[in-house]
Amino acid sequence: MSNTVKIMSNAMQAELQSFMAGVEARNPGQLKFQQAVSEVAESLMPFVIENGKYKEAKILERMTEPDRIISFRVVWEDDKGDIQMNRAWRVQFNNAIGPYKGGMRFHPTVDEDTLKFLGFEQCFKNSLTGLPMGGGKGGSNFDPKGKSDAEVMRFCQSLMMELSRHIGEDIDVPAGDIGVGAREVGYMFGQYQRFQNRWAGVFTGKGLTYGGSLTRKEATGYGTVYFCENMLNHKDDSVKGKTVTVSGSGNVSIYAVEKVTEMGGKVVTMSDSGGFIYDAEGITAEKLAFIKDLKEVRRGRISEYVTEYPNAEYHEGEKPWGVKCDIALPCATENEINAEAAQTLVDNGVMAVSEGANMPSTMDAMHIFVDNGVAFGPAKAANAGGVAVSGLEQSQNALRLSWSAEEVDQKLQVIMKDIHQKCVTYGTDSEGNVNYVNGANIGGFVKVADSMLSYGIM
Ligand code: NDP
Ligand code: 2IT
């Protein structure tokens, strides 16, 4: 049991259990969604009970039920002329504070449970950015790996024929996530534009020639590192000179590595679903350029790094959490740090964990970090930089303007600092320790909950 739950009164624990029993009964078998709600409820229950208006209005119950879920089939033709079918969804979770906003994920593991957990998290994350964005998420069990560009294009176009009925610049604005990068966004956005015969800022993460924002590609990874820097500054320390482990080698990971290196830290690992590479000498800017080409252009595997840099090691089938580090940045996927990995990181002296991925730590892992005094930046705070710059992309589209990279980066840094401050405000205990999990959950909740209260019973 976590320290947070241990210090709750019996009445509060009973309240939490009864709330979670309701969530479990309404969402049977949806374990990721239950996990995401449970983490939030653990932080929020004392706050909700203290502030009776939220409890009376059943805000927590209402916030854990999506506004709607659109589910549809996507049929497309592969290069051999065979008919293929996938499932796709858009979870429109909550639009109390702005149009639904959140990415699209293409991965064989995508199901309704995964997208509900991600959509739920997105409501809190988007609120923390301070921008007017509600929470949503979508995706498909389509696997872009090993598909030709033409196959990916046909799939994206087919998906958009249905999705376009449900989105709009003031309704729901998708973006990228796992398996959805510049190529996929281009195909989806192009099809929307063609079908609707109008140009609208209905997608973010767009290419720079057609309405994308400078620094959007970098924003999630950079933001995760800025959040980490803020946590360390709060303890009179910094990223400079630290040894850092990173998981993943996709969009978030690449730009997290870039920013750590720029700030004077040394990244020693990256990974993909096949295994991880360990480079004791550090992944320098020059080596990262190789990885960008490998992953963004050639769509290769991280194992190829050791062919190029033979001093590095490749550990097949393993995750990087056994490597001694000061800072860990999980940037691949959910539940990639379990209790055992968290304990190993703590035993090896980790000072800070900043979550680039969504829910990369299990509940047990999160409790181990928090209970051992690790500066633990939960995903909804630490990776909010991506969606924040998506919000800035929407602003630029509405203004028919493009801001410089410096201007966007400056705004991103301010937003990450503000999010850190919200966590400090809502998460500092009587001894002056910051519990960033409580801070992010309460800080994200208040704006959405107060808006829902203003709207009355709906
Ligand atoms: P990418 O598709 O660009 O990269 C994903 C990386 O994670 C790849 O290296 C991939 O390896 C690895 N990975 C994915 N699934 C698994 C798995 N089941 N087990 C092990 N490794 C896995 O995605 P992003 O970088 O965009 O997203 C990474 C994380 O960050 C996700 O949790 C996403 O939700 C989150 N995020 C993304 C944002 C964004 O702006 N893109 C914003 C905020 C959060 P492989 O190639 O072998 O599959
Ligand atoms: O999880 C996330 O915040 C994202 N994938 C980015 C969402 C967005 O709308 O930019």
Side-chain angles (χ1 to χ4, degrees):
M1 193 188 286
S2 75
N3 278 349
T4 319
V5 176
K6 265 186 268 178
I7 57 173
M8 279 184 186
S9 66
N10 287 343
M12 221 175 267
Q13 279 189 40
E15 195 75 47
L16 181 60
Q17 273 163 14
S18 131
F19 170 75
M20 280 313 300
V23 171
E24 283 158 25
R26 285 193 296 280
N27 304 279
Q30 299 195 330
L31 300 183
K32 291 186 203 176
F33 179 61
Q34 291 175 16
Q35 178 185 342
V37 173
S38 173
E39 184 224 282
V40 166
E42 195 176 287
S43 293
L44 280 177
M45 201 50 82
F47 183 79
V48 167
I49 290 174
E50 238 169 70
N51 296 274
K53 59 181 179 180
Y54 300 128
K55 187 161 157 42
E56 277 157 36
K58 288 208 164 60
I59 291 291
L60 213 46
E61 284 81 349
R62 286 154 61 180
M63 273 178 73
T64 48
E65 199 60 40
D67 289 350
R68 69 188 66 78
I69 300 176
I70 298 137
S71 158
F72 52 101
R73 74 169 180 271
V74 181
V75 181
W76 55 284
E77 201 177 328
D78 69 19
D79 287 345
K80 291 192 290 231
D82 290 339
I83 302 299
Q84 300 289 340
M85 190 178 75
N86 287 94
R87 307 183 86 182
W89 296 263
R90 186 74 187 164
V91 179
Q92 297 183 331
F93 219 105
N94 188 305
N95 66 354
I97 64 169
Y100 303 108
K101 181 84 196 85
M104 294 287 291
R105 177 180 290 193
F106 293 169
H107 195 271
T109 56
V110 166
D111 56 13
E112 199 179 292
D113 177 25
T114 308
L115 298 176
K116 276 169 74 178
F117 119 65
L118 290 162
F120 177 70
E121 289 277 299
Q122 201 82 44
C123 299
F124 293 79
K125 184 195 306 193
N126 294 4
S127 165
L128 282 168
T129 66
L131 300 171
M133 301 183 290
K137 198 85 189 188
S140 170
N141 60 359
F142 174 76
D143 187 358
K145 271 202 210 90
K147 305 284 191 303
S148 69
D149 287 353
E151 288 176 325
V152 171
M153 179 186 75
R154 288 195 291 272
F155 171 79
C156 289
Q157 291 181 338
S158 178
L159 178 141
M160 187 48 88
M161 290 307 283
E162 175 61 33
L163 187 66
S164 62
R165 300 177 208 269
H166 310 287
I167 62 176
E169 66 273 35
D170 294 320
I171 302 169
D172 184 352
V173 184
D177 193 82
I178 290 178
V180 178
R183 175 181 63 172
E184 290 75 14
V185 171
Y187 292 146
M188 284 190 276
F189 179 73
Q191 183 74 347
Y192 176 88
Q193 221 238 61
R194 169 191 185 199
F195 183 52
Q196 301 278 332
N197 191 28
R198 63 191 281 270
W199 196 104
V202 72
F203 234 95
T204 61
K206 298 187 292 298
L208 296 177
T209 55
Y210 57 93
S213 173
L214 287 161
T215 314
R216 173 60 189 91
K217 183 172 72 169
E218 294 84 355
T220 312
Y222 281 16
T224 302
V225 179
Y226 292 148
F227 193 82
C228 189
E229 178 73 356
N230 276 290
M231 292 196 295
L232 290 173
N233 286 172
H234 197 69
K235 294 180 157 190
D236 296 321
D237 208 333
S238 77
V239 167
K240 192 169 181 196
K242 301 293 186 293
T243 299
V244 183
T245 50
V246 172
S247 65
S249 48
N251 172 262
V252 179
S253 316
I254 285 174
Y255 294 97
V257 172
E258 183 163 283
K259 188 49 71 178
V260 168
T261 311
E262 269 177 36
M263 289 173 66
K266 181 169 86 166
V267 178
V268 292
T269 69
M270 287 181 84
S271 70
D272 59 24
S273 54
F276 80 91
I277 52 124
Y278 172 57
D279 186 342
E281 294 160 11
I283 302 170
T284 57
E286 178 225 324
K287 293 173 183 172
L288 189 64
F290 168 82
I291 292 177
K292 280 185 191 173
D293 180 61
L294 175 72
K295 287 288 177 178
E296 293 179 346
V297 182
R298 291 190 280 134
R299 299 182 189 275
R301 309 301 301 160
I302 199 68
S303 55
E304 294 169 50
Y305 183 89
V306 294
T307 314
E308 188 73 10
Y309 302 106
N311 286 348
E313 299 164 9
Y314 177 61
H315 296 262
E316 192 168 342
E318 287 180 47
K319 294 182 168 58
W321 313 124
V323 174
K324 188 172 162 54
C325 63
D326 305 306
I327 298 170
L329 304 177
C331 296
T333 193
E334 57 267 19
N335 292 328
E336 54 170 313
I337 301 186
N338 61 16
E340 194 188 336
Q343 194 56 55
T344 305
L345 282 161
V346 167
D347 293 345
N348 283 337
V350 74
M351 312 163 60
V353 175
S354 192
E355 294 188 325
N358 283 308
M359 205 168 75
S361 308
T362 64
M363 285 281 278
D364 289 342
M366 179 190 86
H367 291 148
I368 289 170
F369 291 136
V370 172
D371 293 351
N372 283 281
V374 175
F376 175 73
K380 52 175 83 66
N383 73 33
V387 75
V389 173
S390 278
L392 301 179
E393 182 172 328
Q394 291 177 266
S395 306
Q396 292 169 79
N397 291 165
L399 289 166
R400 302 281 191 255
L401 284 176
S402 298
W403 298 331
S404 69
E406 292 71 29
E407 198 171 348
V408 178
D409 187 52
Q410 198 52 43
K411 289 186 198 317
L412 170 63
Q413 291 192 43
V414 170
I415 290 171
M416 297 315 293
K417 204 178 185 58
D418 288 350
I419 295 175
H420 180 267
Q421 187 50 49
K422 279 184 194 133
C423 293
V424 171
T425 303
Y426 288 105
T428 305
D429 67 19
S430 52
E431 284 153 27
N433 299 316
V434 187
N435 181 323
Y436 288 94
V437 177
N438 288 347
N441 286 332
I442 301 171
F445 169 79
V446 172
K447 184 177 169 191
V448 181
D450 286 349
S451 304
M452 289 174 77
L453 283 182
S454 305
Y455 301 153
I457 301 169
M458 55 164 67

